Structure formats: structure tokens, C-alpha cells
Amino acid sequence: MTSAYLVLDLQNDLVHDDGASGKGPLGEAVRSRRIIENTNKVIAKARAAGAPVIFVRVGFSEDYRECSSTSPMFSGLRKAGLMKLGSFGTEIHPDLERRPEDVLITKHRVSPFYGTELEVILRAKKISRVVASGVSTPAVVQACIREAHDRDYECVVVEDACAAPGAIEHDESIAVLKRFAAVSTADEVSFA
């Protein structure tokens, strides 16, 4: 079975101490749960097994042409100047071990599959198993796992490499995700 590791939305606007959300409850959860450190553990395991590492970020053009004005989640981004491609906010957190050979997917919605080349890349690499983690658990992690499940990938969520603005949100999301995926930890997950 060929696996890939999807690192979801660990970009500066969301998780960096100086990012817009990094200064709030989500950033605090990322720090207290050691999300960056745990993600790096999983990246190292994926690399050791020869599994591709795929970074996913959300970002919009300078004029926000891809940004939905009807989305409660995205409609305020233009006004706030957040998630603009080419800015600090859409860069992957600098403490993550990203390499030139890693794939970078830019998405304009919650799901990393919607309107992106993600599935084309997974199919080209003959991936049948998706290991995923990131922020936030009730948004991109759930969207990713549900879509991967429905596209017939075997799915694994690395629980201690995921976070949400609140512990209850995170725990409830993990409980739901157990219907679609195996749940593991950074220490236990395997790419063999």
C-alpha cells in the first residue's frame, strides 16, 4: 500500500505566533498541543519510508477573485487582507521541514480536493492511503478525510498533529472522523 502525508493548512496566518489566528485560541492550541513538533515527527517518518509529503494551504490572488463572498468562513478575508498569496500569511510555518521536492497544493475552499490538482497527483503517484493532520480539525481535516474516504483512499488521522480553537471542537471532530478513518498519533503512525 502506497501512502502520502498531507500537512493541512499549517500556514503562518493560522499557526504562526505572529499570524492573525496564531495570536488567538487556535495558535494557543497549536502551541500547547505541540502541533509543529508532532508534524515534523510524522514528516520524518514519511520521508524515511519514501512516502511523499504534500503541504496544503489556503490562499487567494491579490484581488481575491477566487474568494467566495457568500462564505461565512472566507468572506471577511478580503477586508482583513488575510490569506493573500505571496504574503507571509500563506507561507508554510518556517519550523516545518519542507523540502523542494515536496508538493505544495494551494486551495481556495476548505477541502484540499475541491478545485485543486491534489487527486491528480495522488493518482499519478499511485497513492492508496492518505495520512493527514493539520488545522483545524473540524474544518480542513474533516473535509479532507471525508472526501478522501469517498474517493476510496484508506485514511489515517494523526490526532496529536491536529488542533482546533477549542478542545471540545477538536475532540468532537476526532470522534466523528473515526467513522471514516483510523486515528493514530505521531509516535504510532506508520508508513510501512
Side-chain angles (χ1 to χ4, degrees):
M1 180 158 316
T2 307
S3 300
Y5 181 35
L6 275 59
V7 180
L8 304 170
D9 292 4
L10 293 185
Q11 62 194 74
N12 290 334
D13 265 345
L14 296 173
V15 298
H16 194 281
D17 292 353
D18 296 328
S21 292
K23 296 174 184 174
L26 181 58
E28 179 52 40
V30 167
R31 289 183 291 278
S32 67
R33 291 180 51 77
R34 302 175 45 85
I35 300 304
I36 302 300
E37 295 89 340
N38 290 338
T39 300
N40 276 331
K41 277 187 199 177
V42 182
I43 289 171
K45 286 184 170 191
R47 292 199 201 293
V53 177
I54 301 173
F55 288 88
V56 176
R57 66 178 176 177
V58 61
F60 301 97
S61 301
E62 182 83 18
D63 63 1
Y64 289 91
R65 69 187 71 166
E66 312 89 355
C67 192
S68 171
S69 61
T70 61
S71 166
M73 181 174 288
F74 293 131
S75 60
L77 295 177
R78 177 190 316 251
K79 185 175 180 181
L82 298 174
M83 310 264 184
K84 191 183 300 183
L85 291 170
S87 72
F88 167 80
T90 57
E91 293 173 8
I92 301 301
H93 192 288
D95 291 343
L96 289 170
E97 296 171 11
R98 188 167 162 242
R99 293 183 181 169
E101 66 269 20
D102 296 334
V103 175
L104 177 62
I105 301 288
T106 299
K107 63 189 177 92
H108 309 298
R109 296 296 183 268
V110 177
S111 170
F113 286 95
Y114 183 83
T116 73
E117 67 275 19
L118 178 58
E119 186 159 27
V120 172
I121 291 169
L122 294 175
R123 297 288 181 208
K125 293 182 177 292
K126 305 207 179 323
I127 300 300
S128 57
R129 182 173 176 261
V130 170
V131 177
S133 66
V135 299
S136 75
T137 320
V140 69
V141 178
Q142 277 217 35
C144 176
I145 293 299
R146 287 170 184 255
E147 284 217 39
H149 169 272
D150 285 354
R151 294 167 193 255
D152 298 323
Y153 294 97
E154 181 181 332
C155 300
V156 178
V157 176
V158 185
E159 186 276 334
D160 60 352
C162 297
I168 292 172
E169 278 181 278
H170 171 77
D171 292 343
E172 288 176 350
S173 295
I174 293 295
V176 168
L177 285 167
K178 288 179 179 178
R179 297 176 65 190
F180 305 96
V183 176
S184 192
T185 65
D187 287 335
E188 294 171 357
V189 71
S190 171
F191 290 85

